């Protein structure tokens, strides 16, 4: 239960971040566990010079802190030196979060044009593109969908999102995907075509990987 208190993606990020910090410390012959506050401050400066964003630096600090707490050690990240170093870096870089440009309809049409449904892989990819666009869904939400999460209705399809980045405890939510005006860009039509051609069971991953012989794994 302790391991499950944080999402798997978060755990992987913590592990990767601390591995990077450990490697940097070894290269500079500095202790990583326990780490001194000035070591962490130097590490932040090195990461900033290498082009790391302020959000990335904050996450790496959390990773270093979690590693120390897990080992029963006081985290050096809470020192005034580390806080002031991060504050100075934020002033230099600016702390405005990077905004990813949303996908627009012309770009979606261009992507669909490059996916002409010549094989099952392209049928699957069209369904993913249209479903994600219509529902405003994250990649992690789409990849975790199960066939049993779908409920087709006259107006379209209801989809159960069991867990998302903003719902780490898995309370779940249901979103409705309406039918489109044009069959070639209708997410419901694309989804039904994928289900029919892939002959998926009533339970199991909605978008499994495609093995070399062209069938879902």
């Amino acid at each position: 239960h302790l391991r499950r208190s944080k999402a798997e993606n978060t755990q992987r990020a913590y592990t990767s971040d601390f591995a990077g910090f450990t490697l940097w410390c070894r290269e500079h012959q500095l202790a990583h566990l326990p780490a001194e506050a000035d070591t962490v401050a130097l590490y932040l400066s090195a990461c900033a010079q290498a082009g790391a964003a302020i959000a990335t630096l904050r996450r790496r600090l959390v990773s270093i802190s979690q590693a120390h707490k897990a080992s029963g050690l006081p985290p050096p990240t809470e020192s005034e030196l580390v806080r002031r170093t991060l504050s100075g870096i934020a002033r230099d870089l600016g702390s405005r979060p990077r905004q990813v440009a949303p996908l627009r309809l012309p770009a979606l049409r261009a992507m669909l044009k490059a996916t002409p449904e010549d094989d099952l892989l392209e049928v699957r990819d069209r369904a993913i593109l249209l479903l994600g666009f219509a529902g405003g869904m994250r990649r992690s939400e789409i990849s975790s969908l199960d066939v049993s999460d779908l409920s087709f209705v006259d107006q379209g399809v209801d989809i159960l999102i069991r867990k998302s980045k903003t719902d780490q405890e898995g309370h779940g939510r249901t979103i409705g995907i309406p039918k489109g005006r044009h069959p070639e860009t209708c997410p419901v039509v694309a989804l039904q075509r994928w289900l029919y051609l892939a002959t998926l069971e009533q339970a199991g991953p909605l978008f499994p990987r495609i093995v070399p012989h062209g069938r879902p794994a």
Side-chain angles (χ1 to χ4, degrees), residues 192-208:
Q192 289 175 326
R193 178 169 169 76
W194 159 248
L195 289 171
Y196 174 74
L197 293 177
T199 60
L200 299 177
E201 301 294 336
Q202 294 192 0
L206 177 59
F207 296 115

Side-chain angles (χ1 to χ4, degrees), residues 9-146:
N9 287 343
T10 301
Q11 293 180 33
R12 282 196 293 268
Y14 285 172
T15 301
S16 176
D17 286 344
F18 192 68
F21 174 67
T22 300
L23 180 62
W24 182 88
C25 288
R26 287 175 178 169
E27 289 176 348
H28 294 81
Q29 298 181 342
L30 297 169
H32 66 281
L33 193 69
E36 299 291 338
D38 56 353
T39 297
V40 178
L42 286 170
Y43 176 68
L44 290 177
S45 298
C47 291
Q49 290 175 3
I54 191 67
T56 301
L57 297 181
R58 290 194 176 108
R59 192 196 67 219
R60 289 176 181 175
L61 280 182
V62 173
S63 302
I64 294 169
S65 174
Q66 290 292 321
H68 280 73
K69 289 179 179 178
S71 299
L73 299 168
T77 54
E78 297 176 2
S79 73
E80 183 66 18
L81 174 62
V82 172
R83 288 186 182 135
R84 292 181 64 180
T85 299
L86 184 64
S87 177
I89 293 172
R91 259 192 212 93
D92 288 340
L93 298 180
S95 57
R96 182 179 178 182
R98 181 175 67 92
Q99 296 293 326
V100 178
L103 180 65
R104 304 296 183 184
L105 188 56
L108 175 65
R109 290 186 182 276
M111 295 168 72
L112 293 174
K113 188 176 180 180
T115 315
E117 291 194 345
D118 290 335
D119 56 32
L120 192 60
L121 176 62
E122 291 172 346
V123 173
R124 185 200 66 179
D125 290 349
R126 286 178 70 90
I128 290 174
L129 286 170
L130 288 167
L131 191 64
F133 182 82
M137 301 164 67
R138 294 183 172 89
R139 288 177 298 176
S140 59
E141 295 172 345
I142 296 174
S143 63
S144 64
L145 287 175
D146 192 276

